[in-house]
Amino acid sequence: MKKTWRDHLWDWFKAAVLAIVLTAILRNFIFIPMNVQGSSMIPTLHQGDQMVVESFSKMKRFDIIVFKDASNRTLVKRIIGLPGESISYRNDQLYINNHKINEPFLKNKLVTQAGETWTSDFELQQLTGEKKVPENEYFVLGDNRRSSNDSRVFGSIAKDEIIGKTILVYFPFNRISVY
């Protein structure tokens, strides 16, 4: 049986509705566009950078994540400590469970030109009262350690507060990066 123009129109309408629904789901729940606000992640991310955050992967050390804080602000920080780990900084060096950990993202002009301590000394317990990062929580820091409101101030963040992790900076074009 030959299709009428109404049958073809109905087929196109169903395809368009399906495309709109799938796009809405992908854009709002799986691949979420975000704008960077503030300077706490300089030099990695800058004010106004536009990025895509995905919400389905397991979080790993040094992932850049987006989450809501207690006052419902959206923040962007880097995961430093995972659940069950002890964290300390001594002489500008990160230690996880008393093992020295390299932070390659801090090897940049902003840090090396400063010539001073970038991350002040601390022990997790003195900041949070906990010896280890609690289960289902993460310890986060901004890359701009001197100007970051992060876990040193508000403690570790719960897994369910995390919106997702950054996978792509797509604007401005000269800063396109895949993470």
Side-chain angles (χ1 to χ4, degrees):
M1 181 172 162
K2 188 174 179 182
K3 286 188 173 187
T4 67
W5 68 270
R6 285 192 172 121
D7 294 331
H8 286 293
L9 187 60
W10 179 244
D11 288 343
W12 276 103
F13 177 76
K14 290 188 297 188
V17 168
L18 179 62
I20 290 168
V21 168
L22 287 175
T23 300
I25 289 170
L26 286 172
R27 185 183 184 282
N28 292 309
F29 300 106
I30 299 178
F31 297 108
I32 307 159
M34 304 288 263
N35 288 325
V36 175
Q37 300 297 318
S39 61
S40 71
M41 286 300 292
I42 287 176
T44 308
L45 299 172
H46 295 259
Q47 170 78 25
D49 282 1
Q50 295 177 17
M51 60 188 184
V52 175
V53 173
E54 58 92 346
S55 61
F56 53 86
S57 299
K58 182 179 178 184
M59 300 296 148
K60 301 182 306 282
R61 182 179 338 281
F62 300 148
D63 282 347
I64 299 170
I65 62 167
V66 177
F67 61 96
K68 296 275 188 183
D69 71 0
S71 64
N72 208 31
R73 291 179 306 164
T74 302
L75 300 177
V76 180
K77 305 292 178 201
R78 188 180 296 274
I79 293 176
I80 300 298
L82 303 172
E85 295 181 332
S86 66
I87 301 165
S88 63
Y89 270 88
R90 297 186 299 268
N91 299 320
D92 230 0
Q93 175 62 56
L94 169 63
Y95 291 87
I96 302 286
N97 298 329
N98 290 318
H99 295 283
K100 196 182 229 186
I101 303 294
N102 187 29
E103 296 177 282
F105 49 88
L106 292 181
K107 294 190 179 2
N108 58 67
K109 290 179 185 175
L110 183 65
V111 176
T112 56
Q113 286 178 353
E116 301 170 11
T117 301
W118 191 247
T119 309
S120 300
D121 291 356
F122 70 83
E123 298 279 334
L124 180 66
Q125 189 168 12
Q126 82 188 67
L127 294 178
T128 66
E130 303 277 345
K131 288 185 178 186
K132 297 181 183 274
V133 178
E135 190 174 330
N136 292 317
E137 293 189 15
Y138 297 89
F139 190 89
V140 297
L141 295 176
D143 287 358
N144 187 359
R145 305 286 166 80
R146 293 181 178 171
S147 179
S148 179
N149 181 23
D150 49 37
S151 286
R152 294 172 292 179
V153 176
F154 52 72
S156 56
I157 61 160
K159 183 179 183 178
D160 61 2
E161 294 172 331
I162 298 173
I163 296 168
K165 72 179 182 178
T166 302
I167 57 170
L168 170 72
V169 172
Y170 63 90
F171 188 82
F173 299 125
N174 65 334
R175 298 189 31 75
I176 291 175
S177 303
V178 178
Y179 294 94

